[in-house]
Amino acid sequence: MKHSLKPEAAAAMIPDGATLLIGGFMGVGTPERLIDALVARGAKGLTVVANDSATPGRGIGKLITAGAVAHIITSHIGLNPETQQKLISGEITAELVPQGTLVERIRAAGVGLGGILTPTGLGTEVEDGKQVVTVDGKRYLLETPIHGDFALIAAQQADYVGNLCYTLTAHNFNPIMAMAARTVIAEPDTIVPVGVIPPDAVKTPGALIDHILERAA
């Protein structure tokens, strides 16, 4: 059985300068209470790996507003003018990665691959400085794995040993990211006894989860 943490205790575990894999798509499936706790702690210098930077006041947008993010690896900045402004001013740096490539690079880290081969980005700025590999006469970019120090995961339910299930599209990046970080912190909406989540509904096994956030008040 895993012990649950208060949000502030979880945030205290995450040092400034850490690389965070944060689930979600425009804020859907993002662990909001964990992000709120990081903002309250005054976290700084974070590298955030995520699909997007959401919007001001929502999800990763809160970290952007608070000045907690130094670098973001993302497929797009979302509908967030604050991210755009901070990129222009140099307060934040960014690596833009095609969405499919982004999730595959994270998956590669989780399953121990040395990288992935993809034709996406050939002949564009994405190719600059990267190794090109030819297979059966076709050219591919070698894209390297993306590892995280922490993965911050939102889930619909967790059971007492950390098995997770998700709601519809909130599934998105969360299960993949849970495989690719040294420490995984899950923020479930509810915590239930073992057996309540049907085995077929478990999308992230408890063996991957290091810490569970306590229930919201």
Side-chain angles (χ1 to χ4, degrees):
M1 181 173 179
K2 297 184 187 294
H3 296 290
S4 58
L5 294 176
K6 292 183 179 296
E8 55 268 29
M13 296 170 56
I14 300 171
D16 291 348
T19 296
L20 308 183
L21 310 179
I22 302 180
F25 191 109
M26 291 300 298
V28 176
T30 298
E32 296 284 349
R33 290 188 293 140
L34 274 169
I35 286 176
D36 289 344
L38 282 169
V39 170
R41 185 181 74 70
K44 299 293 182 185
L46 300 174
T47 292
V48 170
V49 181
N51 179 70
D52 55 75
S53 61
T55 58
R58 185 177 189 190
I60 293 164
K62 298 174 187 177
L63 294 174
I64 299 291
T65 300
V69 180
H71 183 62
I72 186 167
I73 302 173
T74 185
S75 66
H76 63 95
I77 65 172
L79 302 176
N80 196 332
E82 292 184 359
T83 306
Q84 182 184 41
Q85 292 162 7
K86 292 189 178 193
L87 286 170
I88 292 170
S89 70
E91 185 176 341
I92 292 176
T93 59
E95 179 185 353
L96 296 178
V97 182
Q99 191 172 91
T101 303
L102 178 66
V103 72
E104 283 298 291
R105 289 178 66 188
I106 297 167
R107 184 185 67 84
V111 299
L113 298 180
I116 63 161
L117 297 179
T118 176
T120 303
L122 283 170
T124 74
E125 291 182 4
V126 174
E127 182 179 340
D128 293 350
K130 294 178 180 173
Q131 183 178 346
V132 177
V133 178
T134 300
V135 180
D136 292 335
K138 295 182 180 180
R139 299 170 70 246
Y140 300 89
L141 293 181
L142 173 62
E143 295 280 5
T144 55
I146 299 176
H147 299 266
D149 298 314
F150 294 84
L152 308 185
I153 305 301
Q156 178 194 24
Q157 289 183 323
D159 66 20
Y160 294 161
V161 296
N163 296 311
L164 305 181
C165 68
Y166 305 91
T167 302
L168 301 174
T169 59
H171 182 277
N172 55 61
F173 281 73
N174 284 293
I176 296 295
M177 288 180 166
M179 298 171 62
R182 294 183 181 89
T183 301
V184 182
I185 305 174
E187 179 184 307
D189 294 332
T190 58
I191 302 174
V192 297
V194 175
V196 171
I197 303 173
D200 285 350
V202 173
K203 301 302 180 183
T204 300
L208 295 175
I209 306 303
D210 298 291
H211 304 284
I212 300 174
L213 221 61
E214 67 179 13
R215 296 181 182 88

